[in-house]
Amino acid sequence: MTIFSSTRGLDTGTSAAAAILKGLASDGGLFVPSQLPRLTIDDIIALQEMTYQQRASKVLGLLLPGYTEQELGAWIEKAYADFDDARVAPVVPVAPGVAMLELWHGPTAAFKDMALQVLPYLLTAAIQKTGATDEIVILAATSGDTGKAALEGFKDVPGTRIMVFFPEVGVSPMQRWQMVTQGGSNVSVVSVVGNFDDAQSGVKKLFADRALAKRLAAGGFAFSSANSINWGRLAPQVAYYFSAYADLLKQGKINAGDLINVVVPTGNFGNILAAYYAREMGLPLGKLICASNQNDVLTEFLTTGVYDRQRPFFQTLSPSMDILLSSNLERLLYHLTKGNAVKVAGWMDSLAKTGRYQVDDETLAALHDIFAAGCTGDEATKSVISHVLQENNYLLDPHTAVAWSVAQEYKAKSGDERYSLIVSTASPYKFCRPVLEAVSDAPVAEGADEFDLIRQLAAKTATSAPAALARLENETVKHQKLVQKDGLEQAVCEWLKV
Ligand SMILES: *Cc1c(COP(=O)(O)O)cnc(C)c1O
């Protein structure tokens, strides 16, 4: 049976349930499977005749030993029942050789729902499977979309509480509104003075704090994570790559076995890492193309092998990708070095101490073999949104527009003509102001009401807003707490009364 171990080597022999419950390994590393299952091309061809839910149950069953396909099947039916498209993750061809994989039909209109609607089932079952008795406290740092998706997933789930930290500046007005209006008896939402990296490092520190863990345990609590450092977050994301390939086969866009490229707007490296896992499991994927905004730390890394977080942090139109520390890269490095935990731990140590590390030539060659990378600034992002609406009659959100732009640039530079699957990670209606500015080529008045902008965007583009967003108009603010970077621990303890 596949077991999980830490990328830093100390935590080994962990079950899937325990890995999901813990989130982060006790040595600070991330849990990775010791061995990946494989699907044959016949298995993949057979997916064509299945629903998304059936495809996902099959893939998840392989990635979560100790969970049965039957229990997964039941949860997955419930998890995706309220999506506003029955296909769950539809593949929409928009140009010759290009299709969009739309991952934003869930309750929060961004791709995080794909995993965070499933994770609560995995986690509550993990509590039972491991015999844990503590109440689970989910801590999440969010660059905008994870927070709301985690809140929606965990609100009122018995045996759990959830606390979300979001950066005071940077998230879009709609993202903020979605979080501060969140209902549920077990939720807390706190904004942090600083950017996403500040919020994420703050949360990571809490996870690593043994004294705090003891204090929690005395109160009957244990932490877990809903960020993509949690294996339970990644596993459901692998499924949609298989599903998309099956859809392209079914639509006659590709033939069985054809390699396709995927282009992923990337922040914490979770989504694109799921594509890597799908590729390793036998899905015919060619290049995995990592798209970044002006925060181009990943473009530089995937090009040169040098990861250097010591650079200016930009607030861009694609806030969910405003990240300089991409946690999941650690998992990729572990796999590419064939499980050399000593090497990985060394690089991560160097990153923590100096803000920089450089991989060896062999690892860089392995990266180049599989990945390509590019980045796009805000102006180009806006012009892509406008252009694609005119030329292809398709409205992109800013994150997906970054991916579109990088896909074009990659094609032009490499001459690689393989079919491209562009991963569409959010509804444009989560980012009305920049999208409206892009399509109307005029500035939007300061202080304009977000829901007025929704109506304007709908009228201008002949599209409609996801009902899940439109219905937030009459909600009231329920969370107003703001803390300094070093105030996270106190906020947790106050809330839990420990
Ligand atoms: C989270 C997010 C991303 C980045 O995904 P990662 O898995 O963190 O790389 C991109 N786009 C949107 C809209 C997101 O919410």
Side-chain angles (χ1 to χ4, degrees):
M1 182 152 90
T2 309
I3 47 156
F4 292 78
S5 54
S6 164
T7 48
R8 303 201 190 162
L10 297 186
D11 228 339
T12 57
T14 306
S15 68
I20 289 171
L21 207 52
K22 278 184 158 178
L24 198 65
S26 42
D27 56 7
L30 308 183
F31 286 111
V32 283
S34 55
Q35 186 186 341
L36 278 175
R38 282 188 74 85
L39 276 82
T40 65
I41 193 68
D42 288 331
D43 293 332
I44 295 167
I45 290 169
L47 296 176
Q48 282 180 88
E49 302 313 320
M50 299 183 191
T51 63
Y52 184 83
Q53 287 84 339
Q54 291 166 331
R55 295 169 181 173
S57 308
K58 174 140 188 96
V59 174
L60 263 185
L62 295 170
L63 289 169
L64 297 172
Y67 289 84
T68 66
E69 213 175 302
Q70 209 172 11
E71 56 185 354
L72 290 168
W75 298 331
I76 284 171
E77 284 299 333
K78 287 191 245 175
Y80 298 130
D82 293 334
F83 275 48
D84 69 12
D85 189 306
R87 299 166 295 174
V88 182
V91 170
V92 182
V94 286
V98 183
M100 312 304 295
L101 170 57
E102 292 182 353
L103 299 178
W104 40 264
H105 290 282
T108 77
F111 92 92
K112 306 296 196 294
D113 291 326
M114 296 301 299
L116 281 164
Q117 284 295 308
V118 181
L119 184 63
Y121 296 104
L122 303 180
L123 199 90
T124 44
I127 297 173
Q128 282 163 3
K129 285 178 198 287
T130 58
T133 51
D134 290 334
E135 186 169 354
I136 299 298
V137 180
I138 306 289
L139 291 186
T142 182
S143 56
D145 289 324
T146 295
K148 178 63 180 180
L151 289 162
E152 278 299 308
F154 281 98
K155 72 168 180 218
D156 297 326
V157 171
T160 71
R161 298 208 197 183
I162 172 158
M163 190 168 210
V164 165
F165 294 97
F166 72 88
E168 190 199 10
V169 288
V171 302
S172 84
M174 179 56 82
Q175 288 175 321
R176 167 186 286 268
W177 186 249
Q178 283 183 301
M179 288 188 277
V180 299
T181 59
Q182 177 69 43
S185 58
N186 63 340
V187 309
S188 173
V189 178
V190 176
S191 62
V192 180
V193 177
N195 59 39
F196 171 69
D197 288 323
D198 297 321
Q200 174 161 263
S201 350
V203 166
K204 273 192 162 178
K205 251 189 231 146
L206 299 186
F207 280 129
D209 186 336
R210 292 184 185 231
L212 179 62
K214 275 209 185 116
R215 203 162 144 190
L216 253 76
F221 298 108
F223 283 143
S224 187
S225 167
N227 281 101
S228 55
I229 55 174
N230 193 318
W231 180 252
R233 260 289 296 277
L234 277 179
Q237 298 183 180
V238 177
Y240 50 70
Y241 290 103
F242 280 96
S243 175
Y245 193 92
D247 280 339
L248 286 173
L249 277 178
K250 198 167 182 181
Q251 293 171 6
K253 299 290 179 194
I254 57 171
N255 296 312
D258 286 354
L259 292 178
I260 65 167
N261 294 334
V262 301
V263 192
V264 188
T266 297
N268 226 357
F269 213 77
N271 203 350
I272 195 166
L273 185 71
Y276 168 81
Y277 282 124
R279 192 177 186 273
E280 291 298 298
M281 289 167 68
L283 190 66
L285 300 182
K287 278 281 193 283
L288 310 182
I289 301 166
C290 174
S292 299
N293 59 30
Q294 198 183 354
N295 294 298
D296 59 355
V297 63
L298 286 169
T299 312
E300 179 176 286
F301 174 70
L302 293 171
T303 312
T304 66
V306 175
Y307 195 97
D308 189 355
R309 68 160 301 194
Q310 292 166 297
R311 57 180 68 226
F313 176 91
F314 299 104
Q315 262 161 40
T316 73
L317 299 181
S318 40
S320 300
M321 293 151 69
D322 289 345
I323 295 179
L324 294 179
L325 270 177
S326 293
S327 304
N328 273 300
L329 207 48
E330 181 168 345
R331 283 191 166 105
L332 178 67
L333 295 174
Y334 180 87
H335 295 302
L336 293 182
T337 57
K338 308 216 164 34
N340 191 332
V342 173
K343 223 178 222 183
V344 173
W347 290 330
M348 292 305 126
D349 190 48
S350 163
L351 180 63
K353 291 198 175 117
T354 69
R356 182 184 187 278
Y357 63 90
Q358 176 163 20
V359 299
D360 53 76
D361 289 346
E362 206 181 326
T363 306
L364 181 59
L367 283 171
H368 285 166
D369 194 35
I370 302 173
F371 291 88
C375 54
T376 302
D378 279 350
E379 282 316 306
T381 302
K382 277 190 179 176
S383 78
V384 164
I385 293 173
S386 154
H387 184 81
V388 172
L389 182 65
Q390 277 168 26
E391 301 282 316
N392 308 90
N393 195 25
Y394 190 87
L395 187 63
L396 298 165
D397 98 285
H399 303 77
T400 312
V402 166
W404 181 287
S405 166
V406 169
Q408 296 300 318
E409 191 189 277
Y410 168 77
K411 210 175 247 182
K413 253 202 277 184
S414 65
D416 181 346
E417 290 292 327
R418 284 189 283 238
Y419 201 94
S420 306
L421 182 71
I422 297 180
V423 180
S424 177
T425 50
S427 160
Y429 284 89
K430 285 192 98 164
F431 310 94
C432 278
R433 173 183 291 272
V435 173
L436 195 55
E437 286 183 344
V439 299
S440 50
D441 204 18
V444 168
E446 280 305 322
D449 176 78
E450 196 61 20
F451 293 91
D452 281 341
L453 297 186
I454 283 189
R455 285 181 278 273
Q456 286 178 40
L457 185 59
K460 179 93 198 164
T461 60
T463 60
S464 55
L469 297 182
R471 80 166 77 97
L472 293 177
E473 185 162 13
N474 301 317
E475 288 291 334
T476 53
V477 173
K478 301 180 186 73
H479 307 274
Q480 286 179 301
K481 198 175 172 75
L482 170 71
V483 300
Q484 298 294 326
K485 268 186 233 184
D486 58 3
L488 275 64
E489 176 170 352
Q490 199 187 340
V492 171
C493 292
E494 275 176 20
W495 185 52
L496 297 176
K497 303 196 177 70
V498 295

